Amino acid sequence: AIDRVLLEEVPSQAISEDSRRLFAGSIEALVAKGAEAILFGCTEVGLVVGADAVPVPVIDSLQCHVDTALRFSGDQRVTESG
C-alpha cells in the first residue's frame, strides 16, 4: 500500500486522506513501540505526511539533499535542519 501511494498518488498529486492516514498510522505505531525519531528515507514521504504531524524528530532525506546541495554550492541558505 505504501509503495502504491509513492508510485501512483504522489506523482499524480492526488494523495488521498486514506493514504495520509496510512502513513500517519504507521508512524504512530513506530512511536508507540519506542521510536525516538522517524526517518523519511524516501524523498516523497514528506509530501504525504508533514514532519509537523510527527510527535518525534524527523530526519527528512529530501531536506538532507537540499542542505547538502546548498553547502556544496557555497550557498549560505542552509535550512534549520541542516
Side-chain angles (χ1 to χ4, degrees):
I2 287 177
D3 286 347
R4 185 192 56 73
V5 174
L6 296 174
L7 296 173
E8 296 175 16
E9 292 186 29
V10 171
S12 68
Q13 298 179 357
I15 303 165
S16 72
E17 285 306 311
D18 285 343
S19 295
R20 292 183 195 282
R21 282 191 291 275
L22 170 69
F23 275 67
S26 297
I27 291 168
E28 289 170 12
L30 291 168
V31 172
K33 290 182 178 182
E36 296 178 11
I38 297 294
L39 171 65
F40 287 0
C42 175
T43 56
E44 290 86 356
V45 173
L47 301 172
V48 179
V49 60
D52 57 334
V54 179
V56 295
V58 168
I59 302 164
D60 187 341
S61 63
L62 177 59
Q63 194 61 60
C64 292
H65 289 306
V66 169
D67 292 343
T68 300
L70 288 172
R71 278 195 199 95
F72 184 76
S73 72
D75 194 308
Q76 299 301 311
R77 295 176 291 169
V78 176
T79 64
E80 280 182 27
S81 66

